[in-house]
Amino acid sequence: DFVKRENLNNRYQKGIKQLMVVEGEETADTSSIPFDTLKKIPSKTADFVSSAIELIDLTRLKSVARADLLLADIEEMIHILTTFPSIPKDHWAIGDMNNWHENIGKYKPQEIIKEEDCEKLEFQAARWLNDFRRVLKEL
């Protein structure tokens, strides 16, 4: 009632939308996130960013870009995205990560991947990280 009486819906639309999400209310333009899921978002976010940065660093260094290390980071990122609220199961980044997982999986575990693959994967990992930031801003 206070929100309606003070006309806060019109003045602070984005804030009210986020408040409704946190309180578990679901309307046509919001989707509720259960509190248990909501409280895990900071740690999942930190884990995703950490894995993405490690992946980017490994691909930049090239001489340490072993297939097993890259696969571990990609698997972690896939797991986080598939369980992250507001990211659909058919999100482009998940499909792209799965493709890269398959490509890197063709190497032997201790093998250093090709320089060309390093450059391409570095670029893609940066795109995944930027898209993840965008999703967080919209959440």
Side-chain angles (χ1 to χ4, degrees):
D1 290 336
F2 175 76
V3 170
K4 289 178 185 174
R5 186 175 61 245
E6 297 297 320
N7 199 24
L8 297 177
N9 271 340
N10 294 331
R11 292 172 45 200
Y12 306 104
Q13 291 176 356
K14 194 169 187 176
I16 295 299
K17 180 180 174 184
Q18 291 175 347
L19 178 64
M20 292 171 67
V21 169
V22 170
E23 290 181 347
E25 293 181 31
E26 192 168 339
T27 64
D29 62 341
T30 66
S31 57
S32 64
I33 300 171
F35 184 71
D36 285 343
T37 303
L38 191 64
K39 69 182 181 182
K40 294 176 185 174
I41 288 178
S43 64
K44 284 185 168 203
T45 300
D47 290 344
F48 185 89
V49 170
S50 171
S51 293
I53 290 171
E54 184 176 324
L55 184 62
I56 291 168
D57 286 347
L58 286 170
T59 54
R60 277 191 185 153
L61 293 172
K62 294 178 180 83
S63 63
V64 292
R66 289 190 350 225
D68 59 340
L69 298 175
L70 299 173
L71 286 173
D73 286 331
I74 293 171
E75 287 168 1
E76 178 69 13
M77 293 169 72
I78 290 170
H79 174 71
I80 292 168
L81 279 190
T82 56
T83 60
F84 204 85
S86 80
I87 296 182
K89 301 289 183 213
D90 62 348
H91 188 65
W92 74 269
I94 295 171
D96 198 38
M97 287 178 200
N98 281 320
N99 289 338
W100 272 103
H101 187 274
E102 187 178 312
N103 290 342
I104 302 299
K106 294 175 184 173
Y107 287 92
K108 294 176 185 167
Q110 300 294 318
E111 187 177 358
I112 304 293
I113 69 168
K114 296 176 188 173
E115 191 170 319
E116 182 182 333
D117 285 342
C118 278
E119 291 171 3
K120 289 178 183 177
L121 183 54
E122 177 189 351
F123 176 75
Q124 285 306 106
R127 286 186 65 213
W128 301 333
L129 183 57
N130 288 336
D131 185 69
F132 186 70
R133 284 188 199 141
R134 182 193 54 78
V135 168
L136 286 175
K137 286 178 184 176
E138 291 176 358
L139 191 60

